[in-house]
Amino acid sequence: MTIPADRIYSLEGKGFKLTTAEDIAPYLEEISAVEDLEELRLNGNTIGAEAARALADVMRTKTTLKVATLHDIFTSRLKDEVKESLIAICGALVELPDLAEVNLSDNAFGPLGAEAMADFLSKHTGLQVLKLNNNGLGIFGGTTIAQALIACQAECENQGKQPSLHTLVCGRNRLENGSAPAFAKAFSALKTLREVRMPQNGIRPEGIVELIGGLSDNSGLTVLDLQDNTFTHSGSAALAQALVKWELLEILNVGDCLLSSTGGRLVAEALKERSTLKSVNLQYNEIEQDGAIALAESLSNLKALESLELNGNRFEAESNAVEMIKAALSKNDIDDDVLGSLSDMEELSEDEDEADEADEDEEEEEEEEVKKSEDESKDIKKEEDHTAGPKTASDVLEDDLADLVSQMKNQLNV
C-alpha cells in the first residue's frame, strides 16, 4: 500500500515518553492538522494510559486513516496500564471505516493485551493486514486472537460479504499446540488468507497438522512462513498434501522445522506441483541424499525460483545430489547463485552410518544386477542415439541428469 507523504504523520523512533495528556498534546495538535490522514506512525515511543486515551479521542476524528503503525509503543509500561491503553486505542480503531492495516508487534502485552484487542478484531470487518509479532501472547492469548477472527468472519457473513483479512503475522508468541485448533478453525473460516507468517512459536507436529489443515482452505495463499516450529514426518506429510492446493504459492519458509529424512523427501517430491514458487527455505531439516535427489527432480518444474536455502541438512555439499540440483537449476536457465550457502551441512551419526552400511551390504547383489541391466540399457541407448542423429546441448544435459538420478536412486534404494 503506497500512501502519499503528505498524508502520513510520523513520530517514528523518537523515543518520547508520553505518559500524560499534557505530554502528548503538542503532537495531537499536529495530527489534527493533517488533512486526510492515511497513516499514523507512533512506533519507537512509549505511551501511557492517560496519553493513550487522549490519542484515541483524536484518532476517532481521522476517518480516512488506513494504516496504524503502533509497534513498540509500550516499553517500560506495566501490564495493567498497557491493557488500559490498548482498550482506548482499539476502541478508536474500530470506528475507522477505512482502516486496513494494524501493526502492534513488539509490544509485550501478553494474554491481557489479546483480551483488550478482541472486541476490535471481532467487529472491524474491513481489516486486511494484522501484525502481532513478538507480543508474548502464549496459548491463551493466541486462542483469544483466533476466536476474535472467527467472530469477525461470522460478522462478515451476517453482512453478506467476504472477510477482508489477507495477511497475518503472528511469530515469536509461544502459541504452541494449545492455540493451533483455534487458529486452524479461523483459517478455515476465513478462506481469504494470502500471507501467513507464524515462525518461532513452539508448535509441534500435532499442531502443525491442524494449522495446515485450516490453511489448505485458503487457495489464494502466496506466502507461508512457519520457520522454527517442529514438523517431523506427520507435519511434513500434511504440508506435502496441502502444496497441491496452493496454486499461487510463491514463498515457502519451513527452515529449522525438523522435517526429518522421510518428511523432507515428501515435501521435496510435492514441490514439483508448485511451479509458482520463487523462494524455498528448507534449511536445517535433516534432509538426506534421497530427499535432495527428489528435490532435484522437482526443480525442473520451478522455473521462477529466485532463492533456495538448503544449508544444515544431511548430505555433503560436494555430493552428487548437489550436482543434480545445480544441473536442474541450469536446465531452467537459473544461476547457481540462487542456491544459498552449504557451509554447515550436518553429518550422520555413527549409528546411522552403521545402519546405512548394513543396508548397503544386504543390497549389494541387487545393485550389481541393477548396474548390469543399466549398462545393457546404455548400450542400447547409444545405438538408438547413433541412429537418431546428433544431439543438441540441451539433450545432452537432460540425458546426463536422468542418468545421474537413476544412479543415485539405485545407490540409495529409493
Side-chain angles (χ1 to χ4, degrees):
M1 184 184 300
T2 302
I3 294 176
D6 62 348
R7 296 187 179 185
I8 299 172
Y9 180 82
S10 178
L11 289 178
E12 186 173 9
K14 297 292 186 181
F16 295 146
K17 188 172 184 179
L18 308 173
T19 302
T20 67
E22 185 178 356
D23 292 336
I24 202 171
Y27 310 109
L28 296 183
E29 289 180 11
E30 294 175 358
I31 293 172
S32 297
V34 180
E35 294 184 9
D36 300 323
L37 180 69
E38 294 188 16
E39 181 172 358
L40 180 62
R41 300 175 184 171
L42 299 179
N43 53 296
N45 301 283
T46 176
I47 301 174
E50 184 181 327
R53 286 192 292 271
L55 171 64
D57 289 339
V58 172
M59 289 176 69
R60 283 187 176 87
T61 69
K62 296 300 177 180
T63 56
T64 55
L65 191 69
K66 295 179 180 178
V67 179
T69 305
L70 305 171
H71 60 277
D72 187 22
I73 61 169
F74 298 128
T75 300
S76 77
R77 304 293 176 178
L78 299 176
K79 288 184 178 180
D80 289 341
E81 184 179 19
V82 171
K83 181 177 180 180
E84 191 177 342
S85 299
L86 274 173
I87 290 173
I89 291 172
C90 290
L93 293 176
V94 75
E95 298 180 18
L96 303 177
D98 294 339
L99 187 69
E101 178 176 334
V102 173
N103 186 351
L104 280 161
S105 299
D106 301 317
N107 292 306
F109 45 62
L112 289 177
E115 290 179 350
M117 297 176 58
D119 188 63
F120 157 63
L121 292 177
S122 63
K123 292 180 179 177
H124 201 297
T125 58
L127 190 66
Q128 299 174 27
V129 178
L130 177 61
K131 297 180 180 180
L132 294 173
N133 200 60
N134 191 32
N135 296 119
L137 294 176
I139 295 172
F140 181 79
T143 300
T144 300
I145 297 297
Q147 289 173 342
L149 297 180
I150 294 169
C152 185
Q153 187 277 335
E155 180 61 26
C156 288
E157 191 172 325
N158 290 338
Q159 296 179 17
K161 66 178 187 179
Q162 288 289 322
S164 300
L165 190 71
H166 59 70
T167 297
L168 175 65
V169 179
C170 197
R172 300 184 65 189
N173 272 304
R174 297 181 288 107
L175 299 176
E176 302 178 3
N177 281 6
S179 66
F183 273 110
K185 186 176 179 180
F187 295 159
S188 183
L190 287 166
K191 296 183 173 63
T192 53
L193 292 168
R194 300 199 297 263
E195 179 174 345
V196 175
R197 298 182 183 271
M198 301 178 73
Q200 300 179 10
N201 272 305
I203 304 170
R204 297 190 61 77
E206 298 83 356
I208 292 294
V209 171
E210 296 222 44
L211 287 181
I212 291 176
L215 285 170
S216 65
D217 291 326
N218 294 262
S219 59
L221 193 70
T222 60
V223 177
L224 178 60
D225 180 359
L226 292 173
Q227 183 175 14
D228 201 10
N229 292 289
T230 303
F231 279 56
T232 67
H233 180 88
S234 57
S236 300
L239 177 60
Q241 292 176 0
L243 281 168
V244 179
K245 301 179 181 180
W246 297 324
E247 297 181 353
L248 302 177
L249 192 67
E250 296 182 357
I251 297 174
L252 175 65
N253 185 354
V254 287
D256 301 277
C257 284
L258 192 64
L259 299 185
S260 77
S261 58
T262 57
R265 187 175 67 210
L266 288 176
V267 172
E269 290 171 347
L271 289 176
K272 67 178 178 291
E273 305 293 338
R274 287 283 61 82
S275 60
T276 51
L277 280 165
K278 296 180 179 179
S279 176
V280 178
N281 185 347
L282 296 172
Q283 292 188 117
Y284 299 96
N285 277 313
E286 296 192 354
I287 298 171
E288 297 182 5
Q289 287 269 48
D290 56 348
I293 294 169
L295 177 61
E297 293 180 288
S298 292
L299 286 176
S300 62
N301 290 343
L302 307 188
K303 301 183 187 301
L305 199 63
E306 297 173 359
S307 175
L308 175 62
E309 298 293 343
L310 296 173
N311 204 13
N313 283 298
R314 308 176 84 172
F315 51 91
E316 295 181 5
E318 304 300 325
S319 66
N320 286 341
V322 173
E323 292 305 313
M324 291 166 60
I325 288 169
K326 290 180 178 178
L329 292 173
S330 177
K331 184 181 175 183
N332 288 341
D333 294 323
I334 298 175
D335 196 277
D336 281 357
D337 291 345
V338 164
L339 180 61
S341 171
L342 299 176
S343 63
D344 193 28
M345 303 303 283
E346 184 181 349
E347 295 183 3
L348 293 173
S349 69
E350 290 184 8
D351 290 342
E352 289 163 330
D353 278 337
E354 289 175 3
D356 288 345
E357 287 175 7
D359 289 340
E360 288 174 6
D361 289 341
E362 291 174 4
E363 295 166 5
E364 191 176 62
E365 291 183 6
E366 181 181 342
E367 287 178 1
E368 287 178 0
E369 289 298 322
V370 170
K371 188 174 182 181
K372 182 179 178 181
S373 175
E374 211 171 59
D375 289 340
E376 292 174 354
S377 296
K378 284 182 180 177
D379 290 339
I380 295 171
K381 191 171 183 294
K382 284 179 181 177
E383 291 179 10
E384 292 175 347
D385 289 346
H386 180 73
T387 304
K391 293 185 177 182
T392 64
S394 177
D395 291 335
V396 172
L397 181 60
E398 188 171 349
D399 289 344
D400 289 345
L401 181 59
D403 288 343
L404 195 52
V405 168
S406 178
Q407 291 170 21
M408 292 297 294
K409 280 186 171 181
N410 289 328
Q411 291 172 10
L412 295 165
N413 192 33
V414 297

